[in-house]
Amino acid sequence: MASWKFSHWCYCATMKIKYRPDRKAVSRELQQHIEDRYESFISRGIPHEIAVEKTLEAMGDPKVLASQLAAIHRPFWPYLMVVSRCILIVMIMISIVSMSLFFYDDPFSELSSHYTEIFSTASPDRFLYVEPDGSDSADGYTYTLKKAAWLHDSYEREDGSIKETNTIYVLVEVYNPRPWAESPKALDWFWAEDSLGNYYYNGQERLTSDDRCVYGNTYKTGFFTYALELRIQNPNTAELQEARWLDLRYDRSGRDITLRIDMTGGDGL
Amino acid sequence: MKNLKRIWSRIPRKLRAITNLVLITAFAMALYVFIDSPAFSEEVQYRREERANHVGPAQILDMLPLDSFYRYEKVLLADDGDGVILYQYDENRGDLTYRKKTGDITVLALPGDSFSTSEWQRQKSAEHPIFVFDDYPDAVRAELNITLSCEYNSENFQKAYTLEARRQSPGYFLFTLCVSNPNGLGAEGEALYQLSHISSDVAYGRFFDVAFPATVRLYDETDALVCERSVTIRTIAAEVRGEQNP
């Protein structure tokens, strides 16, 4: 019974505190305080009923205390703290999810498997060049030659005839530290030239699939990195075996990006 | 971890809320920049595109709205001295076309549109912008004679058009080639399709040998002839081969 009266007193005293955790904490504190007082009355030999009355009397009017406590425990900052914490947690979760999606959707994984196959097996018809690592930059974009491989391949056409293909696969990594930078769009304008003076059209200049040309795709591989999958198509085998180097070049609007592939070495040659 | 929690709980709520708000702002800004990376103005967007295409920096001549018929909402015209640029764009995306100048007069049809060749042929009327970039600031009026030709249903089509334009902004004239036919544009639609794609990469494997001859005449305020040039609008592939095998 006493406990109920004390609880009711605490409830009345804290009912104007709007922030619930504060209300509970203050209520707990008051309850403890009331019980301490009650215990002191009891220890002095005062009967239970009178001790309860005296305790509540000593505590004063709960409605007056309620207004005072409400003025002290304003809800703005605690609520702002809770809401901001929730927003922060949600933002962190969104970042984690979006980053994992970003890497999950990464087309480079597909590209890598394709390239892994190209660059992993040395055979008489698969001449490999060790990682070349030439580098050049323009407009804040750094182009680094990562791998290059020369492949002879063949496939069966619909009419049953065999089509021979002769392609140099090149993997170029593009790096730009500015997160707001656009993905590099110069791919269609890269052309090539070998040490014998043979010219390979760029993607905009090629007309047919039999042309000697450079073309490919661009992939975003990270926040700051992109991959250019380039194919130098239809080189003349006999001539290319004589060539000492092959340059990938971009030279529009006053730029000069040159990535040199050393043709004199490499596994399989 | 427990110590950290204890220290954190001792910090006044006001300070904790402010710390959270600062972290939220920093996070939001980082996400904004890393994931969205919006351009805060059309010029900033264009300059980013310029760097990605490794061209320019060019002087911006004008920004014009495009008809809903085109893939983008606007086109920006620029000149970097050696070449001219048409940058078609929407919010945060666009296509940049860069062409080397052909002397003091450069003719460039707006590349691309949302129509396929058959759609062009079925249209009853159509129009397409052609830009003439010039180095004659005194010229206020321009005349463009252009001959479109193509093969359509195994027959040769050829038609000459005379267009006029007054200077709106320095550096260029804007011509609009308008055609109409109540029975559908047919061959004319095919020719216009080729004109609209002559500057873009779809030329590959389709119509590499397209060449539309044109004559540009510029007049000053007194209507005196300032300049007359004959040019040929061609695909890049044809241009390169023309240079290599004149």
Side-chain angles (χ1 to χ4, degrees):
Chain A
M1 188 65 185
S3 168
W4 179 86
K5 277 192 173 175
F6 292 159
S7 297
H8 180 72
W9 191 93
C10 289
Y11 172 77
C12 291
T14 57
M15 64 189 293
K16 286 187 179 172
I17 298 174
K18 287 182 178 164
Y19 185 58
R20 195 185 289 174
D22 272 9
R23 198 191 305 152
K24 279 185 179 170
V26 173
S27 183
R28 259 199 313 274
E29 209 176 315
L30 284 173
Q31 183 99 22
Q32 187 62 48
H33 190 57
I34 289 171
E35 278 168 14
D36 287 348
R37 282 204 167 198
Y38 168 76
E39 289 300 327
S40 75
F41 283 127
I42 292 292
S43 64
R44 275 187 262 156
I46 297 171
H48 167 73
E49 293 285 314
I50 298 165
V52 169
E53 290 304 318
K54 274 185 173 288
T55 304
L56 292 177
E57 203 180 303
M59 292 301 291
D61 185 355
K63 285 177 184 169
V64 175
L65 188 64
S67 301
Q68 289 170 347
L69 286 172
I72 296 167
H73 296 274
R74 290 185 186 280
F76 178 74
W77 286 108
Y79 273 132
L80 185 66
M81 189 189 70
V82 171
V83 170
S84 61
R85 188 196 297 153
C86 292
I87 294 173
L88 197 61
I89 290 167
V90 169
M91 284 185 87
I92 290 169
M93 283 167 70
I94 288 173
S95 315
I96 291 168
V97 170
S98 58
M99 278 178 76
S100 31
L101 282 176
F102 177 83
F103 286 108
Y104 179 75
D105 280 344
D106 180 11
F108 191 59
S109 54
E110 203 176 308
L111 173 88
S112 298
S113 63
H114 178 54
Y115 264 61
T116 308
E117 192 204 326
I118 290 171
F119 291 112
S120 61
T121 324
S123 69
D125 63 344
R126 193 164 287 195
F127 300 105
L128 299 183
Y129 295 98
V130 282
E131 299 183 8
D133 212 25
S135 189
D136 207 346
S137 55
D139 301 290
Y141 293 83
T142 304
Y143 292 80
T144 307
L145 207 50
K146 300 305 282 186
K147 289 175 188 293
W150 180 13
L151 260 81
H152 301 283
D153 226 335
S154 59
Y155 65 90
E156 197 177 326
R157 285 174 164 152
E158 281 181 9
D159 61 6
S161 61
I162 301 295
K163 166 79 176 169
E164 296 277 340
T165 61
N166 194 14
T167 308
I168 298 171
Y169 289 85
V170 183
L171 185 63
V172 176
E173 186 188 80
V174 189
Y175 171 74
N176 189 328
R178 297 164 189 83
W180 53 86
E182 292 287 330
S183 61
K185 290 173 183 165
L187 181 89
D188 263 359
W189 297 94
F190 270 96
W191 53 277
E193 184 180 32
D194 62 31
S195 60
L196 304 173
N198 293 312
Y199 179 81
Y200 299 79
Y201 291 119
N202 66 40
Q204 291 277 338
E205 294 166 349
R206 72 176 175 145
L207 294 179
T208 68
S209 55
D210 293 330
D211 274 343
R212 282 182 184 180
C213 63
V214 182
Y215 70 98
N217 296 305
T218 306
Y219 300 97
K220 190 169 174 67
T221 53
F223 276 130
F224 305 111
T225 53
Y226 307 86
L228 302 189
E229 182 211 272
L230 288 162
R231 291 164 193 220
I232 302 169
Q233 199 164 286
N234 304 320
N236 181 294
T237 308
E239 281 181 359
L240 209 58
Q241 276 170 344
E242 296 296 314
R244 284 173 286 114
W245 48 258
L246 188 138
D247 279 350
L248 265 173
R249 293 196 58 190
Y250 176 94
D251 62 351
R252 287 200 312 167
S253 193
R255 273 70 170 179
D256 187 6
I257 302 170
T258 305
L259 300 170
R260 175 158 293 189
I261 303 166
D262 183 2
M263 305 289 283
T264 56
D267 299 336
L269 271 179
Chain B
M1 193 67 188
K2 271 185 181 175
N3 281 345
L4 211 67
K5 258 188 171 174
R6 205 174 300 145
I7 293 167
W8 180 247
S9 63
R10 272 184 207 158
I11 298 170
R13 282 170 176 171
K14 199 171 178 176
L15 197 64
R16 275 194 271 172
I18 290 169
T19 312
N20 285 348
L21 289 176
V22 169
L23 285 171
I24 286 169
T25 314
F27 236 97
M29 283 171 71
L31 283 174
Y32 194 53
V33 170
F34 274 81
I35 293 172
D36 196 22
S37 303
F40 295 104
S41 75
E42 291 172 359
E43 187 176 345
V44 170
Q45 186 184 338
Y46 165 68
R47 295 295 174 201
R48 283 182 190 171
E49 201 72 31
E50 234 181 15
R51 283 191 287 273
N53 281 274
H54 300 315
V55 295
Q59 184 197 347
I60 296 171
L61 301 175
D62 214 347
M63 295 175 191
L64 305 168
L66 283 176
D67 201 276
S68 55
F69 171 70
Y70 297 97
R71 258 177 289 175
Y72 298 100
E73 286 170 7
K74 284 183 175 178
V75 60
L76 180 148
L77 289 78
D79 183 336
D80 80 343
D82 291 332
V84 291
I85 294 165
L86 294 180
Y87 175 53
Q88 299 176 77
Y89 62 99
D90 287 338
E91 201 180 336
N92 284 321
R93 70 186 190 110
D95 268 342
L96 187 145
T97 306
Y98 176 88
R99 288 289 175 275
K100 260 187 173 178
K101 278 187 175 180
T102 52
D104 47 8
I105 298 283
T106 305
V107 183
L108 201 59
L110 187 75
D113 55 69
S114 54
F115 277 10
S116 66
T117 176
S118 56
E119 282 171 319
W120 267 106
Q121 291 160 16
R122 281 201 303 270
Q123 286 295 298
K124 291 192 166 72
S125 67
E127 56 179 53
H128 197 75
I130 301 170
F131 298 95
V132 171
F133 295 88
D134 69 295
D135 291 343
Y136 296 93
D138 293 341
V140 294
R141 189 172 72 81
E143 212 177 86
L144 173 70
N145 292 303
I146 183 166
T147 304
L148 301 186
S149 55
C150 67
E151 196 177 289
Y152 180 70
N153 290 344
S154 308
E155 282 182 24
N156 288 327
F157 165 83
Q158 185 167 316
K159 191 172 176 181
Y161 303 83
T162 301
L163 310 173
E164 277 207 33
R166 292 202 74 80
R167 175 149 356 245
Q168 303 290 329
S169 297
Y172 80 97
F173 287 95
L174 167 61
F175 295 89
T176 309
L177 177 55
C178 303
V179 293
S180 64
N181 188 333
N183 302 320
L185 294 177
E188 209 171 7
E190 170 63 23
L192 222 58
Y193 171 79
Q194 293 190 7
L195 178 71
S196 72
H197 285 81
I198 207 163
S199 321
S200 58
D201 58 358
V202 296
Y204 166 67
R206 194 172 138 65
F207 48 83
F208 61 87
D209 53 353
V210 173
F212 296 142
T215 306
V216 179
R217 289 186 195 88
L218 305 182
Y219 300 91
D220 66 10
E221 274 183 358
T222 62
D223 231 17
L225 185 68
V226 177
C227 158
E228 180 173 344
R229 292 281 180 276
S230 292
V231 292
T232 305
I233 310 173
R234 288 191 292 189
T235 59
I236 292 162
E239 235 167 65
V240 168
R241 281 156 181 80
E243 277 172 20
Q244 287 179 350
N245 311 300

